[in-house]
Amino acid sequence: MPRDDQAEVETARRATDRLALVLEDLGFDVGQEFPGLHDVIDRRGVAVVRLGDVMPAIAERLAEVLSGLRG
């Protein structure tokens, strides 16, 4: 894997870990409420972070938290 691609993979991995920790700090049960949260190389070969399927009530809670952070 080229060095730039490897860096992107590591960035996606770190971002996924950070996102999981922040969600936990905000009171979400990541294992239950975001079971599909993971990093992956997509079909185009691009490193991405996927949240997975999220129940509507959880998405609403997340939107409320993010809206509150925005001010």
Side-chain angles (χ1 to χ4, degrees):
M1 181 177 293
R3 176 166 254 169
D4 288 347
D5 291 345
Q6 185 60 36
E8 285 297 312
V9 168
E10 289 302 319
T11 299
R13 195 168 292 140
R14 278 193 314 274
T16 302
D17 291 344
R18 287 186 64 209
L19 182 56
L21 291 172
V22 169
L23 288 168
E24 289 280 345
D25 287 347
L26 291 170
F28 291 95
D29 182 339
V30 173
Q32 291 292 319
E33 298 170 330
F34 296 90
L37 177 62
H38 68 287
D39 58 281
V40 68
I41 305 297
D42 73 6
R43 285 180 252 158
R44 298 170 295 156
V46 177
V48 297
V49 175
R50 293 205 171 128
L51 288 175
D53 295 335
V54 178
M55 300 299 292
I58 302 306
E60 285 289 332
R61 258 182 66 211
L62 180 58
E64 287 175 18
V65 168
L66 294 175
S67 293
L69 293 175
R70 185 179 60 198

